[in-house]
Amino acid sequence: MPRIPVVERIMKANDDVAASNRQLLDEHGVHAVNILAAPGAGKTSVILAVAAALKGKCRVGVIEGDLASDIDSRKVRMAGLPVYQINTGGECHLDANQVRVALDQLPLDEIDLLFIENVGNLICPVEFALGEHTRLAISSVPEGDDKPYKYPPVFANVDVLALNKADLLPFMPFDVAEFERVVRTLNPEIAFFTVSSTKGTGIPALADWLAALAR
Amino acid sequence: MPRIPVVERIMKANDDVAASNRQLLDEHGVHAVNILAAPGAGKTSVILAVAAALKGKCRVGVIEGDLASDIDSRKVRMAGLPVYQINTGGECHLDANQVRVALDQLPLDEIDLLFIENVGNLICPVEFALGEHTRLAISSVPEGDDKPYKYPPVFANVDVLALNKADLLPFMPFDVAEFERVVRTLNPEIAFFTVSSTKGTGIPALADWLAALAR
């Protein structure tokens, strides 16, 4: 059974396109952030809140990844940001080829910070490089504080984590300090922000941290 | 490139084991429910609330699927239910072989209703039959009411849907009627329950519906 060689060829082909994407981004001075999160963690809301906080300071663009629908890209377009929607059909993650098609459609010279919102999935997107410079994971309070134990790869393989929906902390048990402690056992160097995209709490600090990458 | 034949062989092999699992379950009079949901939707909490509601009426057993950790199986064991924990390593879904190992370890003659809690993932588990009789999807209010648009396959391919964390409805925008309407465009025959596993709302109706399957 040639299963492992086939998988290796697919991953190698993806890595090659990702490297080419990275080169294209660098040529245009774009810093790309690959966003990984479970469905409903608030990826689009965090992007929109960060973009609003950076208005006039840093030009934000967005690639939206979903199995289906253009709900998220319509929200982003209404906020006045350049956006490209990828519908994967049934695929559970974005790949570098899909991102390349999006990059070829976006006005890269008018973008400093490019958010690539991956498909809502805490597992599969971790394996696929897209050409990004930075990986941001978004967790949310109602998902529960045990997620680092159950999904260690995503927490171990990102540069920065935003714990979103902090406005719900009064309504459910969630030990933020213990959550951060477990995340740091998996990833000692991770940058950690507690935010609420709806209330705006913590968004300026996260936005400043991300904007600093794009300089 | 032999990619498609390889995938077909893998799926066929899984289907064969799933059919054998189903036969084993039927021989022991066990009704199996494959539970599909995003991370943090409350799969384990719903299982425990349903099992408590059925105490003395229907004997519940559980298979827990996670990338890592035994947090969920410890909770289930503390509730006095027979349970087997599958750790998939990095795999994003359960497969029929893993479930077969679990079935061989569980006291099937002491179980009427077997919950198979799949890995937290709204996409990949849909493709893999495990030998179950019924599929239950769990959505949760904080995930947002747009999920049927973004993840249509899971909503189209289950028998019953529980919308969990209804106790959070006062704190966020979520249109339950519109959510149910969109789900029914994908799946007209689906059974739909609005529940709160922490407050107990709606759990007796869901529990009775599931227990009726096992008779």
Side-chain angles (χ1 to χ4, degrees):
Chain A
M1 290 285 282
R3 277 159 54 177
I4 292 171
V6 167
V7 172
E8 276 178 4
R9 282 205 299 277
I10 293 171
M11 298 306 284
K12 173 70 169 62
N14 184 74
D15 284 348
D16 290 348
V17 178
S20 160
N21 288 349
R22 174 74 169 258
Q23 192 177 349
L24 178 67
L25 290 161
D26 287 340
E27 285 166 11
H28 291 271
V30 179
H31 189 97
V33 179
N34 184 1
I35 304 185
L36 293 78
K43 294 182 287 302
T44 312
S45 302
V46 168
I47 289 170
L48 292 176
V50 165
L54 293 179
K55 197 159 188 177
K57 294 189 277 189
C58 178
R59 298 169 301 171
V60 171
V62 183
I63 296 173
E64 287 290 342
D66 284 294
L67 294 198
S69 95
D70 63 349
I71 293 176
D72 288 343
S73 59
R74 278 191 279 130
K75 285 185 200 166
V76 173
R77 192 169 291 113
M78 280 174 63
L81 304 175
V83 59
Y84 186 90
Q85 175 81 50
I86 299 170
N87 281 151
T88 66
E91 275 304 305
C92 52
H93 60 86
L94 292 180
D95 64 38
N97 273 306
Q98 293 165 334
V99 169
R100 182 50 169 248
V101 171
L103 293 179
D104 286 341
Q105 299 296 323
L106 284 168
L108 295 181
D109 289 329
E110 300 165 23
I111 295 172
D112 302 311
L113 190 60
L114 177 66
F115 291 116
I116 307 172
E117 183 180 328
N118 220 309
V119 176
N121 181 330
L122 218 41
I123 306 168
C124 313
V126 179
E127 302 294 320
F128 289 82
L130 306 178
E132 73 271 18
H133 302 79
T134 299
R135 286 182 162 197
L136 163 64
I138 301 178
S139 283
S140 69
V141 166
E143 293 170 34
D145 55 12
D146 59 357
K147 291 301 158 292
Y149 289 108
K150 293 184 180 173
Y151 304 86
V154 65
F155 294 95
N157 289 286
V158 295
D159 305 289
V160 50
L161 173 65
L163 173 61
N164 192 27
K165 308 195 190 184
D167 51 296
L168 296 175
L169 283 168
F171 306 114
M172 56 193 67
F174 191 107
D175 186 333
V176 177
E178 173 66 7
F179 176 80
E180 181 175 352
R181 189 192 65 75
V182 179
V183 168
R184 289 200 184 282
T185 63
L186 295 165
N187 189 339
E189 302 300 320
I190 198 168
F192 184 95
F193 296 89
T194 302
V195 307
S196 164
S197 58
T198 54
K199 306 293 179 191
T201 326
I203 292 293
L206 175 62
D208 286 347
W209 191 91
L210 290 165
L213 300 170
R215 265 166 219 141
Chain B
M1 288 284 282
R3 277 160 51 179
I4 292 171
V6 168
V7 171
E8 277 178 2
R9 281 205 299 278
I10 292 170
M11 298 306 284
K12 172 72 168 62
N14 184 75
D15 284 349
D16 290 347
V17 178
S20 160
N21 288 349
R22 174 75 169 258
Q23 192 178 348
L24 178 67
L25 290 161
D26 287 340
E27 285 166 10
H28 291 272
V30 179
H31 189 97
V33 179
N34 184 2
I35 303 186
L36 293 77
K43 293 181 288 300
T44 312
S45 302
V46 168
I47 289 170
L48 292 177
V50 165
L54 293 178
K55 198 158 186 177
K57 294 189 275 187
C58 178
R59 297 169 301 171
V60 171
V62 182
I63 296 173
E64 287 290 342
D66 283 293
L67 294 199
S69 94
D70 64 349
I71 293 175
D72 288 344
S73 59
R74 280 191 278 131
K75 283 185 200 166
V76 173
R77 193 168 291 114
M78 279 174 63
L81 305 174
V83 59
Y84 186 90
Q85 175 80 51
I86 298 170
N87 282 151
T88 66
E91 275 305 305
C92 53
H93 60 85
L94 293 180
D95 65 37
N97 274 307
Q98 293 165 334
V99 169
R100 183 50 170 249
V101 171
L103 294 179
D104 287 340
Q105 299 296 323
L106 284 167
L108 296 181
D109 289 329
E110 299 165 24
I111 295 171
D112 303 311
L113 189 60
L114 177 66
F115 291 116
I116 306 173
E117 180 179 330
N118 221 308
V119 176
N121 182 329
L122 217 42
I123 307 167
C124 312
V126 179
E127 302 294 320
F128 289 82
L130 306 177
E132 74 271 18
H133 303 79
T134 299
R135 285 182 163 197
L136 164 65
I138 301 179
S139 283
S140 70
V141 166
E143 292 170 35
D145 54 13
D146 59 356
K147 291 301 159 289
Y149 289 109
K150 294 184 181 174
Y151 303 87
V154 65
F155 294 96
N157 289 286
V158 296
D159 305 289
V160 50
L161 173 65
L163 173 61
N164 192 28
K165 307 194 190 185
D167 51 295
L168 295 176
L169 283 169
F171 307 114
M172 56 192 68
F174 191 107
D175 186 335
V176 177
E178 173 66 6
F179 176 81
E180 182 175 352
R181 189 191 66 75
V182 178
V183 168
R184 289 199 183 283
T185 62
L186 294 164
N187 189 339
E189 302 300 321
I190 198 168
F192 184 93
F193 296 90
T194 301
V195 306
S196 164
S197 58
T198 54
K199 306 292 181 194
T201 326
I203 292 292
L206 174 63
D208 286 348
W209 190 92
L210 290 165
L213 301 170
R215 263 166 219 143

